[in-house]
Structures are given as C-alpha cells and as structure tokens.
Amino acid sequence: MKLIDCKDYLSSLPYPGRGILLGRSADNKKAVIAYFIMGRSENSRNRIFEETEDGIRTRAFDESKMTDPSLIIYHPVRKVGKVTVVTNGDQTDTVRDGLVQGKTYIDALRTRQFEPDPDNYTPRISGVVEQDGSFCLSILKSVDGDPSGNHRYFYEYDAPAAGEGRLIHTYQENLDPLPSFDGEPRRVHVAAENADDLAKALWDSLNEDNKVSLYVEYIDLASGNSESVIINKHQ
C-alpha cells in the first residue's frame, strides 16, 4: 500500500466523519494516537472533548441545545492498565470491559455491530494500542448500507515503521446517505515529533465547517509517559 501524506489526504475529504490514527513517531520512540470528530447537524457539532481519569469523553458544549445524546455522547479514549482503547462510540466500554474480563478485543467487538442510525448505519471504528506500540484497528459496518448484514474487519500491526501510521474513518464520501469507509486503513506519513505539532497539522487539514474536536496523544515507549492535546472548535 502506498504511503500517503495524512494532511493532504484529510484535506481532500470534506466529511470523513470520525477518524482514528494510530502509528509511530518519526524518531521511533513514541506510540501515536489521534481521534477526531466532525458533524453536519447542530446536535453533532454541539460537542467538545474533555479529559477524564482514564482518557477523554464527549459532552455537549451547550446543554440547552442537546436534542439526542445517543451515539454522540461517549468515552472515545479509555486506558486499561497499559493498553489504550480508542473508538468512535460506546464500544469503547465494550472493549474495556472485555479486556478487564480477560477477553480479546476481537471477542468483545463480536458482540457489537454498526450504529443504528438509518439511513447511514455509521460504522463502528475501534483501535487498541499495546504497551510496546503495536496496535489493532477494526471496523464494523453494514453491507453497502443494507442493515440486514454486518461485516467485521480486523487489522493488526505488530511493528509500525517509524514515522508511519494507519488511518481509518467512518465515511468514504460526503453524500446522502453517507457511504461507509471502504478498503483497508490508509497507510499515512506521521512527520510530527510531538503531540502539539501533529494536533496542529491534523486540525488544519480538517474541513473548517465540519470539524468539531480532536485528541492527540504521544506515549513514550520506554517510560510509558505521555503527552496529550485536545482541540475543540468550541473553546
């Protein structure tokens, strides 16, 4: 698979939806995690990220304007020991609970399917980052928009190359209904040496009208120490 520039790729997409980027820093010393959300409706855009004890959560920026919290209020990132789970929905808790019970992330996600939001049937995308920087990505999606079937795809990356990552997002194009992401996670270049630089690059590349919030974390593979950045359109 061709290595592509992450900024150029995202800049070409007016509405990739929600996205997960996992990989390795250019100096090969840090695991890289990024998660972003976008929105077309007022309800979806009325959100921010905020830190929690074990990761981050979404919440309404203006509680008076929240019309339906289902599918948009959840914990995108949660730590389970030295493992980091990142997803685009409440399956974060499904994976976390499964790992605590000694199950694999695949076992946990086999109990879930795409989101119940006709006519989009938004895919559930998930990632798991291990202590050594290896990671997994997955997508649970309908069969070309047909909710009568559910397809589960799992991708595992044992040794990410320095300065590379894999990007997966929910929607392929900005259409109505929104078609699900197609193919394997994109192989992207990660040039930034720290969380601040990557956050700025990713935020600048997302569509100005549709971007909502972004989270970036760099985890030092030797010490386990991490640095993270949150950017909210509603600051």
Side-chain angles (χ1 to χ4, degrees), residues 11 27 29 31-32 49 54 58 70 74 81 88 98 109 130 136-137 150 165 173 179 202 211 224-225 228:
S11 296
D27 61 8
K29 295 180 179 180
V32 175
F49 286 165
D54 64 347
T58 62
S70 66
Y74 55 93
N88 73 324
L109 288 173
E130 301 289 344
C136 312
L137 284 167
N150 181 59
E173 297 181 76
L202 292 179
K211 63 186 178 183
N225 296 329
S228 61

Side-chain angles (χ1 to χ4, degrees), residues 90-172:
D90 64 10
Q91 73 269 24
T92 308
D93 296 343
T94 302
V95 175
R96 180 205 59 178
D97 294 347
L99 294 177
V100 169
Q101 296 165 13
K103 300 177 182 178
T104 68
Y105 83 99
I106 293 178
D107 290 335
L109 288 173
R110 281 181 177 149
T111 68
R112 304 302 302 270
Q113 63 174 20
F114 50 84
E115 294 183 352
D117 60 335
D119 293 318
N120 296 319
Y121 301 108
T122 299
R124 292 189 185 273
I125 55 174
S126 307
V128 177
V129 182
E130 301 289 344
Q131 182 180 3
D132 63 359
S134 61
F135 62 87
C136 312
L137 284 167
S138 68
I139 183 168
L140 317 180
K141 61 182 182 176
S142 66
V143 183
D144 294 326
D146 180 356
S148 65
N150 181 59
H151 287 177
R152 299 182 180 94
Y153 299 88
F154 300 97
Y155 306 91
E156 298 183 331
Y157 303 92
D158 289 342
E164 287 191 20
R166 293 297 189 279
L167 171 68
I168 193 168
H169 48 89
T170 51
Y171 305 126
Q172 190 70 21

Side-chain angles (χ1 to χ4, degrees), residues 74-94:
Y74 55 93
H75 290 79
V77 177
R78 304 198 84 157
K79 304 287 185 181
V80 186
K82 296 181 179 179
V83 174
T84 303
V85 180
V86 51
T87 89
N88 73 324
D90 64 10
Q91 73 269 24
T92 308
D93 296 343
T94 302

